[in-house]
């Protein structure tokens, strides 16, 4: 059985990525979750960011990074199929974690710890690095 989820990459001024550890989950992951009702994945990401870390995102600014599929860590026999978005604006406001969040952590783009969800380490951070390299190349062309 497939579980559909959405997640968003949120950064601070140093470029570190905000990760969360939810109640009962031992690994850090991106803010996000399952759609409710007829929500689009973009709407899910905006709602989950507000609920989990108290940040109101502008849906029009979300940039699609890609899809992923993986085995669900906490639900044997289930797969997670998800969409990841990035948010171009750095977070300058105070972050207020929701009661279901045990801990927040800022992660450098390449985590060197096994304390992060495997999907984050193997899919999200490499994709962010590619995105940054492409942006660097494009900015060099524009000059």
């Amino acid at each position: 059985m497939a579980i559909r989820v959405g997640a968003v990459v949120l950064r601070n001024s140093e470029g570190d990525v905000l990760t969360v550890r939810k109640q009962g989950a031992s690994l850090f992951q991106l803010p996000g979750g399952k759609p409710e009702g007829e929500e689009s994945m973009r709407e899910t990401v905006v709602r989950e960011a507000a609920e989990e870390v108290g940040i109101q995102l502008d849906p029009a600014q979300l940039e699609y990074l890609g899809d992923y599929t993986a085995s669900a860590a906490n639900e044997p026999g289930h797969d997670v199929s998800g969409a990841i978005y990035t948010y171009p604006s750095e977070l300058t406001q105070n972050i207020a974690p929701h009661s279901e969040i045990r801990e927040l952590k800022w992660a450098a783009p390449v985590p060197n710890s096994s304390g992060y969800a495997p999907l984050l380490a193997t899919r999200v951070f490499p994709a962010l690095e590619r995105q940054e390299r492409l942006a660097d190349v494009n900015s060099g062309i524009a000059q």
Side-chain angles (χ1 to χ4, degrees):
M1 179 177 181
I3 302 168
R4 188 81 175 135
V5 299
V8 63
V9 177
L10 303 173
R11 297 183 185 220
N12 65 10
S13 58
E14 285 76 42
D16 299 331
V17 174
L18 182 68
T19 58
V20 301
R21 179 157 54 185
K22 299 183 181 183
Q23 297 288 358
S26 60
L27 300 177
F28 284 91
Q29 53 200 285
L30 296 171
K34 301 175 188 176
E36 290 184 356
E38 298 297 315
E39 278 182 335
S40 69
M41 200 55 66
R42 189 176 293 266
E43 291 168 331
T44 298
V45 166
V46 169
R47 177 182 52 77
E48 291 281 353
E51 290 177 0
E52 292 186 359
V53 294
I55 295 171
Q56 189 60 50
L57 303 178
D58 176 358
Q61 284 192 278
L62 287 172
E63 297 174 1
Y64 175 71
L65 183 61
D67 285 333
Y68 64 86
T69 302
S71 297
N74 299 328
E75 299 185 50
H78 291 71
D79 288 329
V80 172
S81 175
I84 300 175
Y85 293 85
T86 60
Y87 198 68
S89 303
E90 68 184 45
L91 302 177
T92 56
Q93 61 211 96
N94 292 330
I95 299 170
H98 187 272
S99 60
E100 76 171 10
I101 304 298
R102 289 176 53 195
E103 192 176 347
L104 300 178
K105 193 170 188 176
W106 291 99
V110 182
N112 57 6
S113 165
S114 60
Y116 293 95
L119 216 52
L120 198 61
T122 61
R123 301 278 181 90
V124 175
F125 285 116
L128 290 174
E129 287 185 319
R130 285 192 300 276
Q131 187 182 49
E132 287 165 359
R133 283 197 303 271
L134 183 59
D136 289 343
V137 168
N138 288 341
S139 68
I141 292 171
Q143 294 175 353

